[in-house]
Amino acid sequence: MSITSAVVRYLTGLASAVLLLTTAPGAVAAQSSAPAVAAQPAAPAATAWQPPLSTRGRYIVDAEGNRFRLKAANWDGAQGSWTGSGSSTDPANQHAGQNSYGIPLGLDRVPLSRLLDDFHALGINSIRLPFSNEMIHETSPVPDAAVAANPQLRGRTPLQVYDAVVAALTGSGFAVILNNHTNTSRWCCGIDGNERWNSSQSTARWADDWVFMGRRYASDPRVVGADLYNEVRRDVFDDPNWGLGDDHDWYAAAQLAADRILTEANPDLLIVVEGINWTGLPVDGLPHGRPLLTPARTLSHTLVATHKLVYSAHFYGYTGPRHSGATGIGETHDARYQDLTRDQLFQALTDEAFFVEQESGNHFTVPVWISEFGIGAGETGAAARAWFGNVTDYFADHDADFAYWPLVGWEGHDDWALLRYDTGGHRYGILDGGDWRGTAWNHLVTAPTRNGPLAPVPVWRMLTTDHGDHVQSLRVRAGGDWDTGAYKAACPDGLRLAGIGHTSGRGLCTDVTAGDLRAEGNAQTVVTDERYVPAGGDWASGYTKLQCPSGQYLIGYSRRGGRLSAALCAPARTPLAGTGRTVWFDRSDNRPAGADGGDFAYGDYKGQCADDEYAAGIAFTTRVGSARGPAALLCRRLP
């Protein structure tokens, strides 16, 4: 969901907003009993695929290496529907008058089996399933009325109902992506206590809850993803940021949660990181806008599992690159997406999100999932209708992964839903004709798409020691702290160090040409002096050279302040030989012409070995007045 006029109040109501932001829900211990995973019937032919999912370049693939395009919709409700005013039980105080009772919508009206049949009829293969942290910790059962059409769910807590929904979806062949939508069970997304992952709770508790959820569904292979947090945005006083290292750093928080999920809960999950949805005050003349994925160009995530990252963004016609989506208070004179021409819209989509997957061979190249977009069936505005046709054309033409918002609603309440049901369970919506959205939707779900097996592609990932360690190799972690007190960086398992910046402490990892070079076992060598430089092998005269032993190659490094502290080397699985060359980069960039990897150390001089080389050493100077960061690489030909 995006910011709406009902909740955007940046300039008014500060007192009530501050009160909201400082009042967290009661802390109740999470229910620890894991759900019983239902027997998995054979998936329908249209959804035949083999979990787990992973990534190859810009594409998501299944366990057999076949393309799996996320054709998804959002089944909301479990994130909460209370608007934040009046009684939380009054239907009038629920979004669109729909009281979800903290569980997926529609269970009061339609049996689960019928809902699943309708979902299949839409042509989707996956479900983004929002939840709130409050839902996890709620111990009271939902009212019987909330599950009137599914009496088998009576007496269950919201989390236990969520369990049953997950099992039903995966048992029917759908891929399920868990989405932490809100902290509290309050409708998102304005000044509501859900602006950041830690608005109403600590970052530590947020990450703990993700580990809990990852473990809870680890035995169900069709639970394929963890969508870390929805629409990170500004509160009354502060912006989120991407890489500043403070308590509002979404880049760092996502990195933390991702690593904990993959190492403590379920290593098979895709990790979905959404861009920042809004920064600044929506006031003409003041800085404000929608960063989305633009920060990833110069600072992208590197996870402990190389093929698990997916980036995400949301697009709605009533918002814009610099428009919050508000009307009245909080509205500016910036263009909304629906005000843009078709060409302008396409350029905005590319610049704000799709460059991530379209610019191949970069440290940020991963799949992009548009995990929310949508419009109402009752929309009559020509501009809004044209936007929907244009945006679905773009998604179809670019073979994009997508998820419509929302999937299920109540007839007479939320006409944005693809499927709406009245109190008798009768269905209305896009499957039943007369819905103007049907043409665009059908074009999107039936457009030609790349299918079948995809060949592996070279991987490029960045390392950053901006604010601490970035050791992404599990094999290196197993060896403990290899340079106490220094900021340490190590490439994920399967990758080697290919480049490094002169002063920033950022590096570049790859598996290009050679794949995984490392020998079996966890052997490694920490190099802090020139003992491995052979006689007559002075490849950087006058500089201190940290060179790997014979038969080893660089996988990491460490620094103390601006000074290089150590090089980390690993033995190769095959003999390493070949001539070497010195790549200097203390006075200018020195990278191969047309080199892949991208600008992995923005604003810094960078050195990078060629694709058919490996890095065997790093040199730096200790001369007074000189920067003591890396100044040269020893690059040698791969065998």
Side-chain angles (χ1 to χ4, degrees):
M1 297 161 289
S2 196
I3 301 174
T4 67
S5 58
V7 293
V8 177
R9 296 292 185 268
Y10 287 104
L11 302 179
T12 61
L14 292 183
S16 61
V18 170
L19 177 63
L20 175 64
L21 292 173
T22 55
T23 306
V28 180
Q31 301 161 68
S32 59
S33 58
V37 178
Q40 303 288 308
T47 57
W49 55 281
Q50 295 300 318
L53 301 182
S54 57
T55 66
R56 289 186 178 176
R58 63 139 293 187
Y59 295 107
I60 296 170
V61 297
D62 73 0
E64 296 180 345
N66 294 312
R67 167 79 186 289
F68 185 88
R69 184 185 182 196
L70 292 176
K71 296 182 178 182
N74 288 266
W75 190 2
D76 80 301
Q79 83 283 359
S81 57
W82 181 54
T83 59
S85 62
S87 169
S88 61
T89 61
D90 187 344
N93 299 323
Q94 312 298 316
H95 172 72
Q98 301 175 140
N99 190 343
S100 72
Y101 297 101
I103 61 175
L105 282 165
L107 299 176
D108 61 326
R109 300 170 177 229
V110 189
L112 258 172
S113 58
R114 257 193 61 207
L115 285 168
L116 299 178
D117 288 343
D118 289 349
F119 297 172
H120 282 297
L122 287 170
I124 60 177
N125 60 16
S126 41
I127 301 292
R128 183 176 185 244
L129 197 62
F131 68 87
S132 72
N133 297 91
E134 187 175 342
M135 182 208 77
I136 297 174
H137 299 273
E138 177 58 65
T139 58
S140 298
V142 300
D144 288 352
V147 291
N150 292 275
Q152 74 277 15
L153 301 180
R154 289 177 181 171
R156 301 195 189 189
T157 66
L159 179 58
Q160 290 167 343
V161 173
Y162 193 91
D163 293 340
V165 167
V166 169
L169 286 167
T170 59
S172 189
F174 289 102
V176 172
I177 297 94
L178 311 174
N179 163 234
N180 185 197
H181 210 78
T182 51
N183 299 174
T184 69
S185 290
R186 178 179 171 182
W187 184 256
C188 170
C189 292
I191 305 302
D192 53 19
N194 296 306
E195 297 84 0
R196 294 187 300 275
W197 64 98
N198 59 355
S199 290
S200 303
Q201 61 191 355
S202 68
T203 296
R205 172 169 165 169
W206 171 70
D208 286 346
D209 280 353
W210 258 122
V211 171
F212 170 82
M213 291 293 277
R215 288 174 175 167
R216 190 170 186 85
Y217 304 106
S219 60
D220 189 336
R222 289 184 183 143
V223 175
V224 298
D227 185 348
L228 297 183
Y229 202 70
N230 184 73
E231 294 188 7
V232 173
R233 60 198 181 278
R234 181 186 175 90
D235 60 21
V236 175
F237 301 109
D238 297 301
D239 285 328
N241 67 79
W242 189 280
L244 294 185
D246 60 16
D247 193 44
H248 295 174
D249 185 350
W250 172 230
Y251 169 86
Q255 184 80 44
L256 167 69
D259 279 1
R260 287 199 60 193
I261 292 166
L262 292 172
T263 58
E264 299 177 38
N266 185 350
D268 288 333
L269 291 178
L270 292 175
I271 301 296
V272 181
V273 179
E274 189 178 332
I276 293 176
N277 196 61
W278 185 261
T279 60
L281 292 170
V283 178
D284 288 333
L286 294 181
H288 57 268
R290 198 176 300 281
L292 298 182
L293 295 177
T294 55
R297 184 179 290 279
T298 54
L299 182 59
S300 62
H301 289 85
T302 296
L303 309 183
V304 293
T306 303
H307 299 282
K308 291 297 181 181
L309 176 65
V310 174
Y311 278 129
S312 174
H314 295 174
F315 290 100
Y316 289 100
Y318 65 89
T319 65
R322 299 184 68 247
H323 201 298
S324 71
T327 55
I329 296 174
E331 184 175 10
T332 62
H333 288 85
D334 303 298
R336 302 173 190 264
Y337 289 113
Q338 65 193 33
D339 299 327
L340 303 179
T341 67
R342 183 178 172 95
D343 288 345
Q344 289 170 337
L345 174 63
F346 287 7
Q347 191 62 56
L349 294 169
T350 299
D351 292 345
E352 296 167 15
F354 281 93
F355 75 90
V356 169
E357 65 179 26
Q358 291 173 8
E359 297 180 19
S360 61
N362 282 290
H363 61 82
F364 53 76
T365 303
V366 297
V368 170
W369 183 32
I370 305 304
S371 54
E372 285 188 28
F373 75 103
I375 197 168
E379 177 62 63
T380 58
R385 285 193 171 204
W387 167 83
F388 189 68
N390 288 335
V391 81
T392 50
D393 282 351
Y394 185 97
F395 297 163
D397 294 346
H398 290 81
D399 200 7
D401 298 277
F402 63 86
Y404 184 92
W405 182 281
L407 175 56
V408 175
W410 293 359
E411 172 61 13
H413 290 257
D414 186 358
D415 74 344
W416 280 52
L418 289 174
L419 304 171
R420 306 187 305 277
Y421 300 90
D422 66 16
T423 55
H426 302 106
R427 188 187 70 201
Y428 304 82
I430 206 162
L431 290 176
D432 302 306
D435 191 318
W436 71 268
R437 302 170 299 174
T439 299
W441 174 258
N442 290 333
H443 171 54
L444 177 58
V445 297
T446 62
T449 183
R450 183 164 183 176
N451 290 313
L454 299 180
V457 297
V459 173
W460 301 90
R461 293 290 182 263
M462 71 179 299
L463 296 174
T464 171
T465 56
D466 292 8
H467 306 291
D469 289 351
H470 199 195
V471 177
Q472 296 308 98
S473 165
L474 297 179
R475 297 167 75 177
V476 171
R477 289 186 187 183
D481 189 344
W482 48 274
D483 192 0
T484 303
Y487 283 0
K488 297 169 284 293
C491 294
D493 293 326
L495 307 186
R496 66 184 187 274
L497 191 69
I500 196 166
H502 180 45
T503 57
S504 66
R506 294 187 179 180
L508 180 68
C509 305
T510 190
D511 61 357
V512 68
T513 304
D516 186 356
L517 274 179
R518 192 165 181 176
E520 293 184 4
N522 292 341
Q524 61 188 35
T525 303
V526 179
V527 181
T528 58
D529 54 34
E530 295 191 342
R531 71 183 65 193
Y532 299 111
V533 178
D538 189 352
W539 50 273
S541 180
Y543 284 67
T544 302
K545 294 166 284 294
L546 305 182
Q547 183 172 336
C548 293
S550 177
Q552 298 195 26
Y553 63 98
L554 278 170
I555 59 170
Y557 54 92
S558 58
R559 67 184 182 97
R560 298 175 189 272
R563 178 175 176 171
L564 189 68
S565 177
L568 184 66
C569 306
R573 55 179 167 76
T574 57
L576 293 178
T579 58
R581 66 186 180 102
T582 303
V583 175
W584 292 98
F585 53 95
D586 54 345
R587 299 181 183 179
S588 64
D589 266 13
N590 192 353
R591 295 183 288 166
D596 283 338
D599 193 346
F600 63 89
Y602 181 74
D604 202 359
Y605 294 152
K606 294 167 283 293
Q608 183 175 333
C609 297
D611 289 357
D612 61 353
E613 295 177 324
Y614 67 95
I618 313 174
F620 67 99
T621 182
T622 57
R623 289 197 301 265
V624 175
S626 298
R628 298 189 175 190
L633 281 172
L634 174 61
C635 298
R636 287 182 166 168
R637 291 291 298 273
L638 287 162

